[in-house]
């Protein structure tokens, strides 16, 4: 399978329209530092079929930016768009509305995520006059996998964190999941976890067996959102394990055998500056920071 990182930023992107923090100002001055909302395109070997994980507000720009995702020669329209969702957050789902020109949308998500999108965001009633939507379950790993474009896909439950617009909805540990991708042809596995609230046993086991792991890189340290005044909560309190410090993900990822890349970077994260010393710390641990437009073959 082939993975293409379409975007690598947390909600708001880098720069964020209403922010002039060093990260946002730096990205305005140096356009190569810009990051769009995190999303991954997955291609299965030998086929022209592909699917997406998460559809943020940049999604149609992503599809237009990469020739492989444009309608092929001889086909006037992209016939079907398949999207897997890690959660129901707006920064991962607003793009579904931007895909309204699609003939057919196939959406794979866990039960609480589907319910939030259908009942709270009224996606069915808003989108059905434009496109045919088919909802699919994203089953837990270990169950009969759903197959999208020749790849086995499943969910690794991560946390009960609900989007702010559904804060009063019923708790369920599949509100946020990692998507597990397994290519039966090559035998390779990837995990995509842009929002990791806790290092669960399930996640640790899946990550230990993966060839490539994308992990929540929202904040560098736990205090960052409080210190910089964007939230009254810590990084952990916001549902994002920090990278550094005790309980941070860097020390744990460094133990894994596979390739590890951070994604979903917030504009406050010092890593959005390519010259920040924190890059050296991660390189010393053998960890990478994903960039928009990276291609990884597994
Ligand atoms: C998150 O990643 O925590 C959410 O996207 C934040 C939000 O947009 O409320
Ligand atoms: Mn987010
Ligand atoms: Zn900013």
């Amino acid at each position: 399978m082939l993975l293409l990182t379409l975007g690598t930023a947390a909600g708001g992107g880098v720069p964020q329209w209403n922010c002039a923090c060093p990260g946002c100002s730096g990205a305005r001055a140096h356009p190569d530092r810009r990051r769009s909302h995190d999303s991954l395109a997955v291609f299965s070997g030998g086929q022209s079929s592909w699917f997406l994980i998460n559809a943020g507000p940049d999604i149609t720009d992503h599809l237009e930016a990469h020739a492989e995702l444009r309608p092929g020669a001889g086909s006037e329209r992209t016939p079907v768009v398949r999207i897997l969702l890690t959660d129901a957050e707006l920064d991962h789902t607003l793009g579904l509305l931007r895909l309204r020109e699609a003939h057919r949308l196939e959406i794979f998500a866990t039960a609480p995520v589907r319910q939030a999108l259908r009942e709270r965001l009224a996606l069915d009633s808003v989108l059905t006059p434009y496109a045919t939507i088919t909802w699919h379950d994203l089953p837990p790993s270990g169950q009969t996998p759903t197959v999208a474009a020749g790849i086995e896909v499943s969910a690794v439950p991560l946390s009960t964190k609900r989007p702010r617009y559904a804060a009063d909805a019923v708790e369920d540990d599949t509100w946020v999941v990692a998507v597990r991708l397994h290519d039966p042809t090559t035998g390779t596995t990837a995990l995509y976890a842009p929002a990791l609230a806790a290092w669960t046993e399930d996640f640790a086991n899946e990550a230990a067996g993966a060839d490539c792991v994308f992990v929540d890189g929202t904040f560098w340290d736990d205090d960052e959102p409080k210190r910089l005044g964007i939230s009254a909560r810590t990084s952990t309190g916001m549902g994002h394990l920090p990278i550094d410090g005790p309980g941070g993900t860097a020390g744990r990822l460094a133990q894994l055998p596979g390739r590890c890349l951070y994604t979903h970077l917030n504009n406050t994260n010092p890593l959005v500056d390519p010259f920040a010393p924190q890059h050296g710390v991660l390189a010393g641990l053998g960890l990478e920071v994903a960039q928009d437009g990276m291609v990884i073959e597994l």
Side-chain angles (χ1 to χ4, degrees):
M1 81 184 120
L2 209 66
L3 309 177
L4 166 60
T5 59
L6 299 173
T8 57
V14 187
Q16 181 174 307
W17 66 276
N18 60 348
C19 188
C21 73
C24 289
S25 305
R28 288 191 185 97
H30 306 279
D32 56 316
R33 297 186 194 176
R34 287 174 177 264
R35 290 175 184 268
S36 55
H37 291 90
D38 83 88
S39 181
L40 188 77
V42 182
F43 300 82
S44 54
Q47 292 177 31
S48 60
S49 53
W50 47 265
F51 60 90
L52 306 173
I53 306 183
N54 291 337
D58 310 302
I59 199 67
T60 54
D61 303 310
H62 288 154
L63 296 178
E64 197 47 37
H66 299 280
E68 316 88 295
L69 299 172
R70 297 179 199 143
S75 69
E76 234 170 75
R77 300 269 170 121
T78 302
V80 49
V81 185
R82 296 183 189 86
I83 306 121
L84 276 53
L85 300 172
T86 57
D87 50 64
E89 293 289 347
L90 293 176
D91 58 329
H92 293 154
T93 56
L94 280 177
L96 296 171
L97 290 168
R98 287 197 72 192
L99 293 170
R100 68 188 176 282
E101 294 88 359
H103 173 62
R104 193 149 61 89
L105 289 177
E106 305 240 359
I107 307 174
F108 297 73
T110 62
V113 170
R114 294 199 304 275
Q115 196 173 357
L117 298 176
R118 303 180 78 170
E119 290 173 14
R120 306 242 176 184
L121 293 187
L123 271 194
D124 279 322
S125 42
V126 173
L127 278 174
T128 302
Y130 301 86
T132 303
I133 308 181
T134 314
W135 298 93
H136 300 273
D137 188 33
L138 192 53
S141 338
Q143 287 197 9
T144 310
T146 309
V147 179
I151 307 285
E152 298 173 0
V153 300
S154 54
V156 183
L158 290 180
S159 86
T160 58
K161 184 195 174 191
R162 287 140 289 184
R164 282 192 245 176
Y165 69 81
D168 61 339
V170 179
E171 275 198 20
D172 185 304
D173 69 350
T174 61
W175 270 106
V176 181
V177 300
V179 172
R180 179 181 188 271
L181 305 164
H182 180 71
D183 184 339
T185 313
T186 55
T188 49
T189 303
L191 269 190
Y192 190 71
L196 187 66
W199 193 269
T200 65
E201 203 181 322
D202 270 3
F203 183 76
N205 288 338
E206 294 289 358
D211 301 281
C212 181
V213 186
F214 286 91
V215 173
D216 186 337
T218 313
F219 300 111
W220 175 260
D221 65 84
D222 205 29
D223 200 40
E224 181 182 319
K226 282 173 81 173
R227 190 174 63 246
L228 299 177
I230 61 161
S231 173
R233 290 175 295 168
T234 60
S235 173
T236 311
M238 291 177 74
H240 299 287
L241 287 180
I243 297 173
D244 193 36
T249 50
R252 291 179 147 134
L253 294 177
Q255 314 296 320
L256 297 178
R259 187 170 173 187
C260 298
L261 303 98
Y262 281 109
T263 189
H264 193 271
L265 273 70
N266 195 54
N267 47 68
T268 52
N269 189 324
L271 292 170
V272 301
D273 175 354
F275 297 104
Q278 286 84 352
H279 284 282
V281 175
L282 294 186
L285 294 169
L287 307 176
E288 298 175 59
V289 179
Q291 304 293 333
D292 290 22
M294 282 174 89
V295 177
I296 294 175
E297 191 172 357
L298 290 175

